Amino acid sequence: MLRFYSHLDAHSDVLKLFGEMSQCGVRPDAFVYPILLKSAGKDGRLLHAHLVKLGHCFDRYARNAIMDVYAKHGPVEVARKVFDEMSERSVADWNLMISGYWSWGKRVEACGLFELMQEKNVVTWTTMVTGYSRVKDPVRGRWYFDHMPERNLVSWNAMLSGYSRNGFAEEAVKLFNEMMAAGVQPNETTCVAVIMACSSLGDPCLAESLVKRLNERGVKLNCFVKTALLDMYAKCGSLEKARKVFDELGLYRNSFTWNAMVSAYARTGYLDSAKELFDQMPEKDVVSWNSMIAGYAQNGESICAINLFKEMIRNKDVKPDEVTMMSVISACGHLGALEVGNWTVDTLMQEGIRLSISGYNSLIFMYSKCGSIMDAKRVFEEMETRDVISYNTLITGYAAYGHGNKAVNLIHMMEDEGIKPDRISYIGALTACSHAGLLEEGREVFESIKAPDVDHFACMIDLLGRVGKLDEAKELVDKMPMKPHAGVYGSLLSASRVHKRLDLGEFAANRLFELEPENSGNYVLLSNIYASAGKWEDVERVRGAMRKVGLTKTTGWSWVEYRGKMHKFIVGDRSHDQSESIYTKLAELQKKMRTAGYVADENCVLRDLELEEKEEIVGSHSEKLAIAFALLVSEAGSVIRVVKNLRVCQDCHTAIKVISKMEGREIIVRDNNRFHSFSKGLCSCKDYW
């Protein structure tokens, strides 16, 4: 009866029946022990100890089963002790012990036993190939494969899988061709390994030819092969083919299959399709949630990413991991949602999730983007190990805050720690110098770059333009060893607007109209230059050119976080449920501001309107509405944080300085260019941005 249950893999019934035997005082014979130990699995160690305590004796078959238990479940040293005590050892015993060592990553012991072994068979050699694959050394595994006296299909598949699973995709494809030339008939395992390699190479055509070859030879594709095909199509962006395989799998779909399809849709921006499948999943694991949350975060749907994470936390069936937290932390950073970001960090600590370097880098990014650069610096300093991304993230953060000297010092610090700055490091440092007006420091950084690329030139031109050296900036454009891109002319155009250089502004704008004709921002900047000079006919000419090519000015918006929700405003917006109170508060502020000497800057309006109309328009810019709302709902004295999608205009910049002094508040505004920290009537940018 025990053997019957064992053949059915009814392990619980085997152990139950053994318990009944023991209660009846029936002593099992030697043939029963291997069955018992196999059924006990990892608990076989406890069963073995119990049997020893009862005085049971074991023959070589039972000892083989005991060795197998300890080789698989540990401690492997006990398995070796049993192995050494065996008076006779078969090739299978040797192979079992070598495999056990590889299972526990003990390469030296496995190789030592292999060398001691007098009689080796194809399983022995294949075990060595598989072992080296487990420790991510398929190159050494290939040596054993090449020296095998004979090979079978399992040997070829072991080597193919070793290559595929360890990033040696080209070698896997080459070996497969050798296998075909040798006349070895592939099976489903072969197919899975080769499809994995094709997926890494982004070559679905090769995989399809393999499937066709297998079909011609009558090899039926099982669900594992189809799942590998689906995964390959998904990673290669062939969504229609992936979905076709997904639908064909039907009842054979597993969590990996569902996750692969959801991830493919999410990764390529088909978020509605991804969410539809996600909602239909019979069971969701952490990978399912991560795929959907990351899809939202990576496609600019940060609010959806955060809301789905909150749903995951409420679900309680699945625990988040580091991948989850990194996506959510990144989403908080893009939103500038510090309140939600801090809650996310609290959740991370409550769940006991340990962060890798990448996780800490995400935290630095979040705090930098949420207007809390001191917290970003704190996380950086707490890290035991840092990489170039750690430095680049903080350098970029300093750049956004205009902390030029701190960014340059970080460049020197990373060099002292033996970390070589890359192109991003230098771009960040140059941008920081530009935002701080540090010309000489910027020159020093630029000259230290061995082979500056076009982006480094763009940063240097931006720096020269910002400090008023526009002619020198134009000379640098002309001397560039490569063709300037839009960023170069964009820097020159921005500087021309700040310093009211019509000639250079027109030159840069005309180049930009050629390079990126669909970018409305370039037309708007040139319009600003003309508007500042009172050239309304030229303003209308530029706006007419925009209309001719079908372009419209990008709508400006601002949002502010309150109680975990982002409140969004656009110019003249009255859609908010507290709109009446917001405009009342704004009117009060404007009255107090005028008493304090503030006068609206009508040059920020691109149309030749009457003065009162201009004041009304600039008075309801989105950032002013966001600040008025924040003043209504936040505690007195608390910091107000606003995120804006466009560059803050001159009028709003002046107005927010006045409001910060009148209301006794620190107001931090993140626009699309940098951070502005307003306090006591002053801005951290020193009116230079």
Side-chain angles (χ1 to χ4, degrees):
M1 198 66 199
L2 283 171
R3 287 177 180 172
F4 174 74
Y5 282 141
S6 179
H7 285 310
L8 295 177
D9 288 331
H11 301 308
S12 60
D13 291 324
V14 169
L15 297 176
K16 182 180 178 181
L17 190 58
F18 172 68
E20 293 175 5
M21 287 174 61
S22 300
Q23 289 176 1
C24 294
V26 180
R27 189 178 183 88
D29 59 26
F31 292 103
V32 171
Y33 294 129
I35 297 174
L36 290 175
L37 292 165
K38 176 186 175 184
S39 298
K42 65 180 180 180
D43 293 327
R45 295 171 298 177
L46 298 175
L47 178 60
H48 172 235
H50 177 66
L51 293 173
V52 170
K53 187 176 181 180
L54 294 176
H56 288 260
C57 297
F58 308 101
D59 66 1
R60 68 174 310 277
Y61 298 105
R63 287 178 181 174
N64 182 278
I66 293 168
M67 185 172 68
D68 183 53
V69 167
Y70 285 104
K72 289 179 179 176
H73 305 291
V76 71
E77 290 77 14
V78 176
R80 180 59 187 265
K81 184 174 182 296
V82 174
F83 176 81
D84 290 339
E85 291 173 351
M86 294 174 117
S87 56
E88 294 181 13
R89 305 184 189 101
S90 66
V91 174
D93 295 328
W94 286 83
N95 291 343
L96 193 155
M97 196 62 238
I98 292 171
S99 178
Y101 275 136
W102 280 120
S103 296
W104 294 92
K106 294 184 177 293
R107 178 194 307 214
V108 174
E109 290 83 351
C111 292
L113 208 56
F114 177 85
E115 294 300 326
L116 289 173
M117 192 173 176
Q118 297 297 315
E119 184 183 346
K120 305 177 180 73
N121 62 12
V122 66
V123 175
T124 316
W125 289 90
T126 303
T127 300
M128 296 300 289
V129 173
T130 305
Y132 274 105
S133 173
R134 282 181 174 174
V135 297
K136 304 185 184 301
D137 188 2
V139 175
R140 185 61 180 167
R142 182 60 187 261
W143 185 92
Y144 285 89
F145 180 81
D146 289 339
H147 286 78
M148 293 177 72
E150 61 173 319
R151 302 183 188 119
N152 58 18
L153 179 58
V154 177
S155 310
W156 286 94
N157 286 344
M159 194 65 244
L160 280 170
S161 297
Y163 276 145
S164 294
R165 295 181 187 281
N166 289 287
F168 291 75
E170 293 181 1
E171 289 82 352
V173 173
K174 184 179 178 182
L175 183 66
F176 172 70
N177 291 329
E178 293 176 17
M179 178 180 173
M180 292 291 96
V184 181
Q185 174 80 350
N187 65 1
E188 291 89 348
T189 303
T190 316
C191 196
V192 170
V194 178
I195 290 171
M196 285 174 58
C198 294
S199 178
S200 299
L201 292 171
D203 186 1
C205 296
L206 178 61
E208 288 173 347
S209 67
L210 168 62
V211 171
K212 184 179 179 181
R213 192 181 308 180
L214 289 174
N215 287 332
E216 290 172 352
R217 296 191 181 192
V219 178
K220 190 175 181 180
L221 304 184
N222 61 21
C223 61
F224 300 106
V225 178
K226 289 187 176 181
T227 298
L229 269 176
L230 186 154
D231 186 54
M232 180 202 64
Y233 285 135
K235 289 178 178 175
C236 293
S238 303
L239 294 184
E240 289 184 8
K241 292 180 178 179
R243 185 57 189 261
K244 184 175 182 293
V245 176
F246 178 82
D247 292 337
E248 287 175 357
L249 280 166
L251 296 175
Y252 293 100
R253 298 170 189 155
N254 55 24
S255 60
F256 180 86
T257 311
W258 283 92
N259 289 337
M261 201 66 240
V262 169
S263 177
Y265 277 134
R267 188 171 57 248
T268 51
Y270 292 91
L271 298 176
D272 290 340
S273 298
K275 188 61 165 60
E276 182 181 354
L277 273 187
F278 178 81
D279 291 338
Q280 293 174 12
M281 290 182 72
E283 291 184 12
K284 301 181 182 75
D285 58 17
V286 67
V287 177
S288 317
W289 290 92
N290 287 351
S291 297
M292 201 64 238
I293 292 170
Y296 281 134
Q298 293 166 7
N299 286 281
E301 298 288 345
S302 298
I303 293 177
C304 292
I306 292 170
N307 288 339
L308 190 61
F309 173 65
K310 291 178 179 178
E311 183 182 334
M312 179 185 184
I313 295 296
R314 288 193 299 268
N315 185 276
K316 295 184 179 180
D317 290 336
V318 180
K319 295 288 185 182
D321 60 13
E322 185 188 17
V323 176
T324 321
M325 306 311 296
M326 286 175 61
S327 294
V328 179
I329 288 168
S330 175
C332 292
H334 285 295
L335 283 176
L338 184 60
E339 183 181 330
V340 177
N342 285 331
W343 169 77
T344 302
V345 174
D346 290 341
T347 303
L348 182 149
M349 296 178 68
Q350 289 168 10
E351 297 290 344
I353 299 171
R354 295 176 62 86
L355 293 180
S356 63
I357 292 178
S358 297
Y360 281 107
N361 291 344
S362 297
L363 279 178
I364 297 171
F365 169 81
M366 182 197 75
Y367 283 124
S368 296
K369 298 290 284 184
C370 288
S372 188
I373 192 66
M374 293 305 295
D375 281 320
K377 180 186 176 185
R378 173 183 56 77
V379 172
F380 177 85
E381 291 176 342
E382 288 174 355
M383 294 175 69
E384 295 180 3
T385 306
R386 308 182 188 102
D387 59 12
V388 67
I389 298 175
S390 313
Y391 278 93
N392 289 351
T393 307
L394 189 56
I395 288 171
T396 303
Y398 280 146
Y401 287 83
H403 297 334
N405 286 320
K406 290 180 179 179
V408 173
N409 289 339
L410 269 185
I411 289 282
H412 299 318
M413 180 178 169
M414 66 191 299
E415 290 173 335
D416 292 341
E417 290 192 5
I419 299 176
K420 186 178 180 181
D422 61 12
R423 62 182 299 275
I424 303 298
S425 315
Y426 291 120
I427 288 172
L430 287 170
T431 302
C433 290
S434 180
H435 285 168
L438 303 177
L439 179 58
E440 294 310 314
E441 290 83 349
R443 287 190 199 275
E444 183 181 335
V445 171
F446 184 75
E447 291 169 2
S448 71
I449 306 173
K450 292 182 179 179
D453 63 23
V454 65
D455 291 321
H456 298 129
F457 275 95
C459 291
M460 194 63 211
I461 289 162
D462 185 65
L463 172 55
L464 290 167
R466 284 172 181 273
V467 297
K469 295 186 176 293
L470 273 75
D471 292 324
E472 187 178 342
K474 175 62 167 58
E475 288 178 15
L476 187 57
V477 173
D478 295 335
K479 292 178 181 178
M480 285 177 62
M482 71 286 289
K483 187 176 180 180
H485 61 26
V488 172
Y489 293 115
S491 296
L492 196 59
L493 178 60
S494 295
S496 300
R497 182 195 62 79
V498 172
H499 297 285
K500 301 182 179 5
R501 283 287 298 269
L502 275 174
D503 55 337
L504 287 180
E506 290 174 331
F507 163 77
N510 288 329
R511 293 292 187 276
L512 286 167
F513 296 156
E514 296 172 3
L515 290 172
E516 40 183 30
E518 296 182 357
N519 186 345
S520 63
N522 299 323
Y523 289 90
V524 173
L525 274 175
L526 183 59
S527 295
N528 278 330
I529 295 174
Y530 286 136
S532 296
K535 293 182 174 293
W536 298 108
E537 289 184 3
D538 289 321
V539 170
E540 198 53 46
R541 176 175 57 80
V542 173
R543 292 175 66 84
M546 285 179 67
R547 288 191 294 270
K548 187 176 181 181
V549 295
L551 296 179
T552 57
K553 182 179 180 294
T554 302
T555 301
W557 52 256
S558 299
W559 60 33
V560 63
E561 183 184 18
Y562 177 61
R563 291 185 176 176
K565 181 181 176 182
M566 307 306 294
H567 296 260
K568 187 174 181 178
F569 301 90
I570 60 173
V571 60
D573 189 11
R574 292 185 180 273
S575 62
H576 196 277
D577 56 6
Q578 296 188 47
S579 182
E580 185 176 340
S581 299
I582 291 169
Y583 274 89
T584 299
K585 181 65 176 178
L586 196 56
E588 293 174 2
L589 288 172
Q590 289 170 341
K591 184 176 180 180
K592 290 168 66 177
M593 287 161 62
R594 282 193 290 270
T595 302
Y598 161 79
V599 177
D601 185 355
E602 68 273 9
N603 287 330
C604 294
V605 182
L606 298 184
R607 286 174 288 175
D608 188 14
L609 304 174
E610 294 298 323
L611 182 59
E612 287 185 4
E613 293 179 275
K614 290 182 179 180
E615 286 187 356
E616 183 178 346
I617 290 174
V618 297
S620 59
H621 276 185
S622 62
E623 51 266 62
K624 292 191 179 81
L625 294 173
I627 290 169
F629 169 74
L631 288 169
L632 282 173
V633 299
S634 61
E635 294 182 5
S638 62
V639 177
I640 294 173
R641 289 180 169 84
V642 177
V643 176
K644 182 174 173 63
N645 68 324
L646 301 177
R647 184 182 182 275
V648 63
C649 74
Q650 183 68 50
D651 176 74
C652 285
H653 193 269
T654 302
I656 299 171
K657 285 195 296 182
V658 177
I659 293 171
S660 72
K661 185 175 182 179
M662 290 191 318
E663 300 296 315
R665 296 288 196 101
E666 181 182 2
I667 303 172
I668 299 175
V669 177
R670 188 186 95 191
D671 67 11
N672 69 339
N673 194 40
R674 62 168 298 160
F675 275 92
H676 301 265
S677 179
F678 300 90
S679 180
K680 299 178 181 179
L682 300 173
C683 180
S684 59
C685 75
K686 300 176 182 177
D687 298 338
Y688 181 89
W689 81 99

